[in-house]
Amino acid sequence: MAASLVCDGKTVCDVGCDHGKLSLYLIKSGKAQHIIATDINKMPLQKAVDLFKENNIQDKAEFLLTDGLQGIKNTEDISHIVIAGLGGETMAQIIENAPFIKQNKTKLVLVPAQSGSRIREYLYKNGFSITSETTVNEKKKFYSAITAEYTGEITEPTVYDCYIGKSEKCTDESAMGYFEMVLSQLEKKAKGKVIDTGSCPQDILDAVEKVKQLLN
């Protein structure tokens, strides 16, 4: 899914590249001309290196053992950054620690494994525009693939914005599964607030009702 959201990529940075399969597909499909593959762990990064060597296209990529986007040179050449499979909080930290993303208005493709509400909140509050979302069902686990770009327009998001964002426009079967997952998260959050404080904030209750409407 992440690969389908990369369009006319020049240099694409695959953060947390793992075994390099996404990076390889981006090159072979012509969606990227060059890859910068990063990973914080040595073994997965080496597997990505070996995969490119096996396909005899190692000249199309550079591999960097690093945390997120640290240490990357020639950042002005990067057209897209793909971060898939990490948590929303980690994604927010990676983006925050890479000011070139804002400076160059680099396109982001984000597929949070959990805490999608956190990365949406970060994007809204830090001048990024969420341009699209696509829900995904992978082995009965539901995700939303987010594309975003820096515009400088800061928004104060509602709870609903953080948990749903533009995925509300999705209508297929995976969307229903995603909305059910989010509804469960919000209902758990609401119960936790009642236990902790004796009441639930109205914005959480509003979000619960709006997600229920998406499921009708």
Side-chain angles (χ1 to χ4, degrees), residues 3 6 9-14 20-37 48 51-53 55-63 82:
V6 176
K10 294 180 180 178
T11 294
V12 177
C13 186
D14 181 7
K21 292 180 180 179
L22 172 61
S23 292
L24 181 68
Y25 177 80
L26 289 171
I27 290 293
K28 285 200 163 187
S29 65
K31 287 180 171 289
Q33 299 173 20
H34 185 73
I35 288 289
I36 299 174
L51 183 64
F52 270 69
K53 285 182 178 178
N55 285 269
N56 199 32
I57 53 172
Q58 59 268 34
D59 60 323
K60 297 284 188 180
E62 53 187 293
F63 302 89
V82 180

Side-chain angles (χ1 to χ4, degrees), residues 161-178:
D161 294 331
C162 293
Y163 275 82
I164 291 293
K166 292 196 173 180
S167 70
E168 67 177 5
K169 296 181 179 179
C170 301
T171 57
D172 61 6
E173 194 171 316
S174 65
M176 296 303 105
Y178 184 77

Side-chain angles (χ1 to χ4, degrees), residues 30 34 69-71 75 79 88 90 93 100 107 129 133 154 161 170 179 188 198 209 212:
H34 185 73
L69 294 159
Q70 300 304 297
T75 55
S79 62
T90 301
Q93 291 172 358
F100 75 85
K107 294 178 181 178
S129 173
E133 292 200 42
I154 295 172
D161 294 331
C170 301
F179 299 152
K188 185 180 293 185
E209 290 308 310
K212 285 181 178 179

